[in-house]
């Protein structure tokens, strides 16, 4: 029997996956590319490079003959996605725990090494250029300033390295720096937190040490205060220009004298695209017409691609409707019935947060399986016996899908919940089977599946 092989798949900067292949190295490059497409969710055209041990650098891959266990594979994207709208194709339409119809093969173990903040929703951003493409970065990158500002900072850094002299800031220079930083911050969020401002200022004095402050414990205390006020002024400027995320908090827009001015609508921690502007050439009326077209498209069969495109196109309209009109859930469901399918729930989550819901959940579940297993072993009584019986199935069939199923069932029992209310197991024939309930599940040809109920 071929020994399992582990490969490190590098998708980009701060984005990598560990891929375990139980059947060993594929016979050719096309088979390896197919596995990377399925497991890593790569929807673009790409080629592969491998780390050559002789030259210690990445070389183009023409065959899999030179590959071995623990090798590094780099994915080089050469084209655009086949479908530019909708959700990531790697995100399955429900929380499918390793069924053949999903994009995840239960025999392949994938651990996501990159942080959620480093992943972006390329599909949503391509459908609507007004959307933000990524969440707040772990390491904030200071933008390139204008030529005159960069010239002054370069000379200031040289002087600082030579004799430790700090740069004497002129009001115009400081204002230009703060303006550029505010513009860069706005690419991620309109209302940065105190820690966000600290990240920016710390990155500023690290990149340009001549801007450090004398007598400051952190070296950027005054910068932080100035940036806070500059962001406030910058928001006022954008609000006057009609930025939806800021106009929504205008007292004139809210039209209620009893509303406290500090009670603003801000995105929650994970929300990146909170209240996007309408795309160029689109208005509330034109998007409402698209919503009506979407309702008619729902009545047609085999129309998933069109529905995906329409849902991505009308995303700004939905967000502004939720935030401004605050409709009841029943009314909102009647207006947007397509949103409440498992596929579109995943897509909408990714549009708002730029994070794929299903793959992120499964990755965190896999990362914490060992810790949860240790917790389960310390559980006694009736619940402990039930958990032991559930986890015993792993000994008979130790696959990724089985570990996920048993861990989730054991967690439900540990929390004194009925796992049958969370997990639905069934056997299906070769015909398409639909489970009719309030929980929407994917239709398809299945043999044996386990789904988390949505």
């Amino acid at each position: 029997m071929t020994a399992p092989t582990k490969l490190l798949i590098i998708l980009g900067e701060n984005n990598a996956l560990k891929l375990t292949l139980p059947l060993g190295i594929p016979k050719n490059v096309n088979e390896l590319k197919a596995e990377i497409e399925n497991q890593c969710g790569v929807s673009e055209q790409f080629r592969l490079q491998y780390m050559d041990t002789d030259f210690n650098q990445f070389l183009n891959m023409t065959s899999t003959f030179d590959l071995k266990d623990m090798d590094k594979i780099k994915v080089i994207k050469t084209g655009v996605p086949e479908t530019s709208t909708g959700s990531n194709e790697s995100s399955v339409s429900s929380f499918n725990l390793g069924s053949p119809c999903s994009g995840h093969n239960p025999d392949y173990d994938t651990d996501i090494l990159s942080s959620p903040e480093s992943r972006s929703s390329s599909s949503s951003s391509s459908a609507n250029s007004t959307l933000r493409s990524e969440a707040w970065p772990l390491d904030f990158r200071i933008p390139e300033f204008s030529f005159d500002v960069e010239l002054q900072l370069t000379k200031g850094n040289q002087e600082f390295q030579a004799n430790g002299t700090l740069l004497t800031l002129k009001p115009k220079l400081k204002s230009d720096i703060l303006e550029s930083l505010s513009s860069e911050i706005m690419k991620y969020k309109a209302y940065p937190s105190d820690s966000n401002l600290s990240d920016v200022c710390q990155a500023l004095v690290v990149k340009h040490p001549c801007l450090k402050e004398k007598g400051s414990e952190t070296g950027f205390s005054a910068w932080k205060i100035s940036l806070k006020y500059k962001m406030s002024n910058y928001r006022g400027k954008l609000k006057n220009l009609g930025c939806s995320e800021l106009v929504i908090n205008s007292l004139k827009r809210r039209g209620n004298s009893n509303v406290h001015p500090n009670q603003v609508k801000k995105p929650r921690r994970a929300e990146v695209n909170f209240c996007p502007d309408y795309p160029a050439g689109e208005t509330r009326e034109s998007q409402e017409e698209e919503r009506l077209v979407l309702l008619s498209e729902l009545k047609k069969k085999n129309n998933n691609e069109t529905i995906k495109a329409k849902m991505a196109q009308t995303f700004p309209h939905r967000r502004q409707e939720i935030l401004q009109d605050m409709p009841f859930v029943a009314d909102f469901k009647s207006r947007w019935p397509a949103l409440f399918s498992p596929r579109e729930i995943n897509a909408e989550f990714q549009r708002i947060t730029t994070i794929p819901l299903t793959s992120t959940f499964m990755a965190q579940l896999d990362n914490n399986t060992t810790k949860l297993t240790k917790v389960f072993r310390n559980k006694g009584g009736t619940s402990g016996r039930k958990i032991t019986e559930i986890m015993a199935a792993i000994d008979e069939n130790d696959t990724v899908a089985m570990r996920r199923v048993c861990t989730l069932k054991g967690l439900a029992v540990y929390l004194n919940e009925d796992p049958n209310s969370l997990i639905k197991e069934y056997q299906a024939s070769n015909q398409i089977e639909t489970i009719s309930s309030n929980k929407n599940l994917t239709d398809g040809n299945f043999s044996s599946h386990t789904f988390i109920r949505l």
Side-chain angles (χ1 to χ4, degrees), residues 403-437:
R403 287 198 298 270
R404 289 172 176 174
V405 171
C406 295
T407 302
L408 288 171
K409 284 185 175 182
L411 183 60
V413 175
Y414 186 86
L415 298 175
N416 295 323
E417 298 287 345
D418 183 8
N420 293 326
S421 64
L422 177 69
I423 306 291
K424 176 66 178 179
E425 294 184 355
Y426 65 99
Q427 297 287 334
S429 62
N430 292 328
Q431 297 179 350
I432 295 178
E433 178 178 351
T434 303
I435 298 179
S436 58
S437 65

Side-chain angles (χ1 to χ4, degrees), residues 113-379:
L113 303 182
S114 60
S115 63
E117 290 81 356
S118 68
R119 295 188 293 270
S120 64
S121 177
S122 59
S123 58
S124 296
S125 60
S126 60
N128 187 343
S129 59
T130 64
L131 301 184
R132 295 187 176 100
S133 60
E134 58 182 318
W136 187 267
L138 292 178
D139 298 317
F140 190 88
R141 294 185 178 182
I142 301 300
E144 293 293 328
F145 301 115
S146 60
F147 180 80
D148 59 317
V149 173
E150 286 290 343
L151 181 61
Q152 296 178 69
L153 292 178
T154 300
K155 293 183 177 180
N157 290 331
Q158 293 173 353
E159 188 70 19
F160 178 82
Q161 293 175 358
N163 51 32
T165 303
L166 297 176
L167 180 64
T168 301
L169 282 174
K170 297 179 180 180
K172 177 67 166 59
L173 176 61
K174 184 175 183 179
S175 178
D176 291 343
I177 293 175
L178 293 174
E179 186 81 13
S180 297
L181 292 178
S182 299
S183 177
E184 190 69 16
I185 291 173
M186 195 65 191
K187 294 179 180 178
Y188 301 102
K189 55 176 61 177
Y191 298 94
S193 63
D194 187 77
S195 61
N196 294 147
L197 295 176
S198 296
D199 292 342
V200 176
C201 294
Q202 183 177 8
L204 176 66
V205 298
V206 168
K207 184 176 182 179
H208 302 291
C210 64
L211 298 177
K212 290 183 178 179
E213 303 162 354
K214 291 182 179 179
S216 173
E217 182 177 353
T218 60
F220 54 80
S221 299
W223 278 108
K224 183 177 176 181
I225 296 173
S226 299
L227 184 58
K228 180 178 181 181
Y229 284 105
K230 192 67 173 181
M231 274 300 300
S232 178
N233 295 334
Y234 192 70
R235 284 194 295 267
K237 180 193 298 186
L238 295 181
K239 182 176 67 175
N240 294 332
L241 294 175
C243 178
S244 299
E245 192 172 357
L246 303 173
V247 171
I248 195 174
N249 291 316
S250 172
L251 291 178
K252 293 181 180 180
R253 171 62 67 90
R254 287 187 280 179
N256 189 349
S257 59
N258 296 325
V259 177
H260 194 277
N262 291 331
Q263 293 178 349
V264 297
K265 294 181 179 180
K266 297 182 180 180
R268 296 179 182 270
R269 181 178 180 181
E271 292 178 337
V272 177
N273 293 300
F274 177 66
C275 184
D277 294 309
Y278 287 117
E282 295 279 353
T283 62
R284 185 181 181 91
E285 290 73 21
S286 63
Q287 292 256 302
E288 180 64 19
E289 293 177 0
E290 290 295 333
R291 185 191 68 82
L292 297 176
V293 173
L294 178 60
L295 291 177
S296 63
E297 293 291 340
L298 284 173
K299 301 176 182 178
K300 302 177 182 178
K301 295 182 179 180
N302 301 323
N303 204 22
N304 291 334
E305 293 301 321
T306 303
I307 292 174
K308 281 190 349 182
K310 294 293 183 183
M311 288 296 291
Q313 182 180 355
T314 56
F315 172 66
H317 188 43
R318 273 193 308 282
R319 291 301 300 170
Q320 297 203 25
E321 180 179 324
I322 292 173
L323 297 173
Q324 295 179 18
D325 301 337
M326 294 182 291
F328 291 106
V329 175
D331 296 336
F332 189 75
K333 289 182 69 174
S334 64
R335 285 178 55 82
W336 301 96
L339 179 62
F340 295 88
S341 67
R343 181 190 299 273
E344 285 304 325
I345 288 175
N346 278 273
E348 194 80 352
F349 184 89
Q350 188 164 356
R351 294 184 194 110
I352 296 173
T353 66
T354 72
I355 299 173
L357 176 60
T358 303
S359 60
T360 302
F361 174 81
M362 292 304 178
Q364 293 301 320
L365 179 65
D366 294 341
N367 291 338
N368 291 282
T369 296
T370 303
K371 296 180 181 179
L372 289 172
T373 303
K374 293 180 180 179
V375 173
F376 294 161
R377 290 173 181 171
N378 296 328
K379 184 70 172 178

Side-chain angles (χ1 to χ4, degrees), residues 7-19 29 31-51 58-61 67 71-80:
L7 298 175
L8 179 63
I9 310 299
I10 302 175
L11 301 175
E13 186 178 359
N14 298 324
N15 190 4
L17 300 173
K18 183 180 74 175
L19 188 65
V29 177
E31 291 183 4
L32 179 59
K33 290 177 67 175
E35 295 301 338
I36 293 176
E37 286 180 351
N38 292 333
Q39 306 307 315
C40 304
V42 181
S43 58
E44 300 173 296
Q45 297 294 326
F46 66 93
R47 58 186 178 87
L48 299 178
Q49 291 185 336
Y50 71 99
M51 176 60 72
F58 285 99
L59 302 179
N60 293 336
M61 183 184 299
L67 290 183
D71 264 359
K72 296 179 181 180
I73 306 296
K74 180 184 289 187
V75 174
I76 308 296
K77 297 181 181 179
T78 59
V80 297

